[in-house]
Amino acid sequence: MKKIWEIFSSIKTAIVLFFLIATTSIIGTIIKQQPTPEGYEKLYGPTFTKVIKALELYDMYHSWWFQLLLILFALNLIICSIDRLPRILRFFKRETRIKERDYLNSLPIKCRHRAKNLTPEQAKEKVLSILKEKGFSPSEEEKQGESLYLFFEKGVINRLGVYITHFSILLVLIGGLIGSIFGFTGYITLVEGGKSNNVVLRGGFSNKPLPFEIECDKFEVQFYKNRPDVPKEYTSYVKVIENGKAVKSAKIEVNHPLVHRGIYFYQSSYGVFSSENGLLTVKIRDKRTGEVRKVQLRVGETQKVPDMGIEVKLIAFYPDFVITEEGPTTRSQELRNPAALVEIKKGNSTIKSWVFAFFPNVHEKKSDYEVKFVSFKPVFYTVLQVSKDPGVWLVWIGCILMIVAIMITFFYPHRRIFVWITPQSKGTEIALGFSTNRNQEAFKRLAEEVCEKIKKEL
Amino acid sequence: MVKDTVFVAYATFTALGSFVFYLSYLVTKSEKVGKIGTLLNVATGLLLTASMVTRTYITIQKGWGHAPFTNLYESMVFFGWSISVLLLLFELKYKNKTLGTFVTPFIFIILAYTSLGGPGINTEVEPLIPALQSNWLIAHVITAFLSYAAFAVSCGASIMYLLRVNKTGGFWDRLPSAETLDEINYKAVLIGFPLLTLGIVTGAAWAHYAWGSYWSWDPKETWSLITWFIYAAFLHARYMRGWRGKKAAFLSIVGFAAVLFTYLGVNLIISGLHSYA
């Protein structure tokens, strides 16, 4: 037991573990990671695939041996901290702050000065004011025989910095563990106008029904006006429905998830559900008057344009128009060559016009109206990533604590000043000792300044 | 309208010039020559600042208005800028102009790669795709690259240490003492490590909002963690086992190799979620 304790409390073990975690982590950045070892034989051959399967290298960060490494790392952190903490806690006890005059000899930075014309009381006041300028005020004062002992310190918290850092790493690991046990990640697919509570969990093998439903009213892709090839925003307009009632409306965008009952909904991907039932926008120009009107249509729908005195009907829409022996049809559901057949009715006369998105100059010459394609919005489906991670707040607390503690450890050293003021036959002797655990040079410079000032002013 | 890439091209030359003068300073020991080296490095920093300001202005003109931290090209420029600024700070602090000889080559290589359009470099100003529209982007890029720059300084000081150690006389005495170099190596890691931690944490926070998970073991994330562990080992070995000098220098060089792989290797060799830069 003692042996095990010794191994885990050793820094050597810590450094070995750092290197083991770091070097083995490389494997997962080279071998493709996925939940199952399917398809590896083609990539790596049968022998190596056996190794991959045995060591779970296809999902190495969740493999037994990598998890074991992380557990050993956590144990090492805990045991190192427990092992060393008592030695550190003494800095918070009074005994450690009180030192005899002999202690001065053991300090690396020190100075002595005899003030000929000052009483110990006067000397004390001077020392207090000089050290106060440097931001030190006394936390201990004691009579030691003839001498007066004063103790100043700053940044004693630094002694705990390392342990707070270790503790914060444990918080992050525990947060991660809680997330992986009690959390889940999956996807929900919603067609515009549809609703669902069915989350397909990652890996695709199981479903998880949510205690409420999500309804998608609308999905939108926006592109930059001056760069129509670059998406600006993907937006799902959704409602949360509980017991048949809409309790919340929200806009989900990339980087702006919806949170409901601790469950996060992220904009993940989208696609075209149906091109034929989408919304077509066309511009109609009266060739005689030059008047232009915008009309929005769905297949089979008729719209009246009262001020032109016409009715417009969308007879058919082809997202990827092509003519075959059987007449016009579509090759795919993608908007590769959108075309629409529009019927315009004025009084008793009707005339049909073909409208092509990519051929704006093609239109029915005989008609009094010129019809031009403006846009077509198909019926989209949106895929939302659904995640619940009850450990995430612990991870954030751990992260913030880690950064604060690292800064304290590196940049806020524990600085101590020991002062003995001793009356002498003529005047008073002032002895100062300085000690710090980090950045000796900087404290030495401060000590020199203080000592010089004392020599000058006392 | 001036193109921002022009400034980067000029900065490539000032970086090369600063290296030449820093090197001549080592040989001639002429204060004047050293001063020119410093001034040229300051010029590099100013030119890169001008390039970033111009680029931001271009995005505003196009109606996008975003910080120039969106692709490999822009991050390389910021990387060069960060090293140049950190070198200047270390030079002022340690009052020694010889460090520049070993750090300016990094700036020059980065800028040469950038302005010659090496693999993955695209100088076009692009609008922000939805995933990049986050305030975390700015915090993440700034902290990550300042940490990279600090590690570049520590690597430069370490290479210098390995050349300098156990040598005396003539030329070698012109270099800072081995102890000072060891100290610079350590101080630079002290700056780099908290910044790297912040870079990883801000990245995790951003991933939480953009990808729905603060940690996905994406190659970029994993390599940043590997780098973090190397420098954590450096600090523990130094504090607890007194690793200094050669061992510390060696670890710093390995650490910076991991930094470069995290930054470039992952994008150029492996692909993942983090495909912008």
Side-chain angles (χ1 to χ4, degrees):
Chain A
M1 195 62 209
K2 206 178 159 209
K3 195 85 198 237
I4 295 173
W5 183 271
E6 264 168 28
I7 290 173
F8 275 106
S9 66
S10 115
I11 275 291
K12 239 188 207 162
T13 311
I15 294 174
V16 168
L17 279 172
F18 288 3
F19 274 102
L20 278 178
I21 293 174
T23 46
T24 54
S25 287
I26 299 173
I27 301 170
T29 67
I30 297 167
I31 294 177
K32 201 182 146 216
Q33 299 291 294
Q34 56 185 47
T36 55
E38 275 166 65
Y40 280 81
E41 254 169 70
K42 241 192 225 160
L43 279 170
Y44 303 107
T47 334
F48 193 49
T49 303
K50 266 183 206 151
V51 179
I52 289 178
K53 280 184 183 164
L55 294 174
E56 299 173 40
L57 296 182
Y58 53 89
D59 189 16
M60 69 146 277
Y61 303 108
H62 302 102
S63 67
W64 60 270
W65 58 268
F66 193 75
Q67 301 276 328
L68 180 70
L69 274 181
L70 291 181
I71 291 169
L72 292 178
F73 171 61
L75 276 178
N76 182 232
L77 263 176
I78 296 168
I79 292 174
C80 270
S81 301
I82 295 176
D83 197 61
R84 289 171 177 76
L85 205 55
R87 262 179 282 166
I88 293 306
L89 287 178
R90 72 197 162 91
F91 286 104
F92 294 85
K93 289 189 185 137
R94 182 156 194 269
E95 301 100 89
T96 323
R97 295 197 282 267
I98 304 295
K99 299 285 184 203
E100 297 287 320
R101 173 76 160 69
D102 296 346
Y103 186 67
L104 187 66
N105 301 324
S106 68
L107 290 173
I109 316 169
K110 57 197 163 231
C111 66
R112 258 169 297 200
H113 174 64
R114 186 186 295 169
K116 287 186 199 115
N117 309 318
L118 294 181
T119 65
E121 266 314 302
Q122 288 169 317
K124 180 189 158 191
E125 286 315 308
K126 283 266 182 196
V127 168
L128 283 179
S129 83
I130 287 170
L131 284 178
K132 193 165 183 176
E133 263 173 50
K134 299 284 172 200
F136 286 89
S137 43
S139 53
E140 299 290 345
E141 188 174 337
E142 193 183 71
K143 264 267 173 237
Q144 292 180 353
E146 293 228 285
S147 305
L148 175 72
Y149 169 74
L150 294 167
F151 175 78
F152 304 75
E153 77 176 339
K154 246 176 153 180
V156 66
I157 185 81
N158 176 282
R159 302 278 177 180
L160 286 179
V162 168
Y163 304 93
I164 302 173
T165 309
H166 289 175
F167 176 67
S168 69
I169 292 169
L170 284 178
L171 285 185
V172 171
L173 289 174
I174 294 168
L177 190 66
I178 290 175
S180 68
I181 296 172
F182 301 107
F184 65 85
T185 297
Y187 297 91
I188 199 165
T189 304
L190 299 165
V191 175
E192 281 182 299
K195 61 184 171 182
S196 169
N197 69 340
N198 183 37
V199 177
V200 178
L201 292 181
R202 191 142 60 188
F205 301 114
S206 57
N207 295 356
K208 188 183 174 76
L210 295 175
F212 52 86
E213 286 178 306
I214 299 285
E215 183 175 327
C216 177
D217 296 330
K218 198 168 81 169
F219 174 82
E220 237 175 39
V221 203
Q222 270 183 63
F223 293 88
Y224 284 93
K225 282 215 177 71
N226 42 4
R227 279 298 297 276
D229 55 325
V230 182
K232 187 179 184 190
E233 200 58 83
Y234 306 112
T235 316
S236 296
Y237 296 86
V238 300
K239 277 203 277 285
V240 179
I241 296 174
E242 286 197 4
N243 306 320
K245 260 190 289 177
V247 292
K248 201 188 257 180
S249 304
K251 201 165 94 171
I252 301 175
E253 291 178 338
V254 180
N255 272 310
H256 300 281
L258 157 73
V259 194
H260 186 68
R261 295 207 192 185
I263 299 173
Y264 281 75
F265 295 85
Y266 301 89
Q267 183 61 52
S268 180
S269 64
Y270 76 100
V272 173
F273 173 72
S274 152
S275 293
E276 277 138 13
N277 300 322
L279 187 65
L280 175 75
T281 308
V282 288
K283 243 191 227 166
I284 298 177
R285 192 173 75 95
D286 189 325
K287 284 178 185 167
R288 291 154 307 179
T289 63
E291 263 186 296
V292 178
R293 292 285 174 276
K294 246 188 205 176
V295 182
Q296 292 198 315
L297 297 158
R298 278 177 209 281
V299 173
E301 250 179 31
T302 306
Q303 289 277 340
K304 280 186 184 155
V305 188
D307 51 355
M308 277 186 171
I310 54 169
E311 277 178 20
V312 189
K313 185 178 177 186
L314 177 57
I315 294 172
F317 180 79
Y318 305 94
D320 191 3
F321 177 83
V322 68
I323 291 184
T324 63
E325 287 166 6
E326 284 129 46
T329 182
T330 189
R331 267 178 301 202
S332 70
Q333 285 297 307
E334 274 157 76
L335 296 171
R336 290 218 190 97
N337 183 22
L341 186 58
V342 176
E343 184 187 83
I344 296 177
K345 189 174 168 191
K346 179 158 193 168
N348 289 329
S349 77
T350 56
I351 192 150
K352 286 176 186 165
S353 294
W354 278 100
V355 186
F356 295 95
F358 299 148
F359 308 100
N361 295 325
V362 177
H363 58 262
E364 187 53 56
K365 297 272 181 327
K366 284 179 281 176
S367 172
D368 290 337
Y369 300 95
E370 187 182 287
V371 188
K372 276 197 171 159
F373 181 92
V374 175
S375 67
F376 179 79
K377 189 189 170 297
V379 178
F380 286 115
Y381 66 86
T382 179
V383 182
L384 304 176
Q385 186 188 319
V386 186
S387 299
K388 187 178 177 176
D389 187 345
V392 75
W393 61 277
L394 260 183
V395 173
W396 297 141
I397 291 177
C399 286
I400 293 167
L401 202 60
M402 192 189 312
I403 286 155
V404 172
I406 289 175
M407 299 296 256
I408 289 175
T409 310
F410 289 176
F411 303 117
Y412 191 49
H414 184 204
R415 291 174 161 182
R416 293 180 293 166
I417 305 174
F418 311 87
V419 180
W420 292 270
I421 298 171
T422 318
Q424 301 213 314
S425 49
K426 253 178 131 187
T428 304
E429 189 221 44
I430 302 118
L432 294 98
F434 300 82
S435 159
T436 184
N437 61 339
R438 293 260 193 278
N439 203 349
Q440 299 287 336
E441 298 72 39
F443 197 41
K444 201 168 175 180
R445 268 189 304 252
L446 186 138
E448 277 162 8
E449 273 176 51
V450 168
C451 288
E452 220 152 274
K453 226 170 179 181
I454 284 177
K455 275 173 195 160
K456 232 188 195 157
E457 294 181 15
L458 269 71
Chain B
M1 188 66 217
V2 194
K3 276 204 83 178
D4 57 292
T5 45
V6 174
F7 294 116
V8 179
Y10 286 139
T12 313
F13 288 108
T14 55
L16 179 63
S18 66
F19 168 65
V20 170
F21 277 91
Y22 277 128
L23 189 67
S24 319
Y25 169 73
L26 269 191
V27 182
T28 62
K29 201 74 184 172
S30 147
E31 281 306 318
K32 228 184 214 164
V33 172
K35 206 170 242 170
I36 296 172
T38 304
L39 285 176
L40 283 169
N41 179 46
V42 170
T44 306
L46 289 175
L47 283 166
L48 294 179
T49 310
S51 132
M52 290 188 288
V53 169
T54 312
R55 208 165 167 90
T56 310
Y57 181 72
I58 292 172
T59 72
I60 293 170
Q61 273 195 326
K62 294 202 179 222
W64 306 327
H66 57 79
F69 301 141
T70 62
N71 60 20
L72 184 65
Y73 168 79
E74 295 178 346
S75 67
M76 285 285 244
V77 171
F78 185 62
F79 191 17
W81 182 88
S82 306
I83 302 176
S84 160
V85 169
L86 240 68
L87 170 64
L88 185 68
L89 292 179
F90 269 87
E91 201 179 287
L92 293 173
K93 170 127 201 260
Y94 288 91
K95 303 202 167 40
N96 192 306
K97 290 191 190 298
T98 46
L99 186 62
T101 320
F102 294 83
V103 178
T104 47
F106 290 129
I107 308 176
F108 171 66
I109 291 166
I110 288 165
L111 295 181
Y113 183 96
T114 310
S115 45
L116 292 176
I121 295 289
N122 172 18
T123 60
E124 284 301 308
V125 182
E126 299 278 351
L128 284 184
I129 57 165
L132 291 177
Q133 294 165 22
S134 167
N135 289 330
W136 290 108
L137 166 77
I138 295 168
H140 175 61
V141 171
I142 290 178
T143 50
F145 281 95
L146 285 177
S147 84
Y148 290 2
F151 293 138
V153 170
S154 90
C155 177
S158 296
I159 293 170
M160 215 165 156
Y161 176 92
L162 292 178
L163 294 173
R164 170 76 171 87
V165 73
N166 299 333
K167 292 200 183 79
T168 48
F171 173 77
W172 296 110
D173 284 346
R174 293 182 183 183
L175 295 177
S177 70
E179 290 73 45
T180 308
L181 290 169
D182 182 55
E183 170 88 5
I184 293 173
N185 175 17
Y186 166 62
K187 284 283 158 68
V189 172
L190 279 192
I191 294 170
F193 189 73
L195 283 167
L196 178 64
T197 312
L198 261 172
I200 294 173
V201 169
T202 50
W206 182 15
H208 170 71
Y209 286 105
W211 301 332
S213 165
Y214 57 85
W215 196 263
S216 334
W217 292 105
D218 172 77
K220 194 79 152 191
E221 292 173 340
T222 308
W223 270 97
S224 72
L225 188 70
I226 292 167
T227 308
W228 190 83
F229 268 115
I230 294 173
Y231 287 106
F234 174 99
L235 291 164
H236 283 81
R238 189 175 188 100
Y239 287 148
M240 307 300 296
R241 307 210 40 102
W243 276 35
R244 272 157 203 279
K246 267 189 190 166
K247 284 173 170 174
F250 177 72
L251 258 186
S252 264
I253 293 169
V254 171
F256 190 61
V259 164
L260 289 181
F261 196 82
T262 307
Y263 175 34
L264 297 173
V266 170
N267 287 96
L268 299 176
I269 299 167
I270 311 165
S271 66
L273 289 170
H274 203 289
S275 51
Y276 341 104

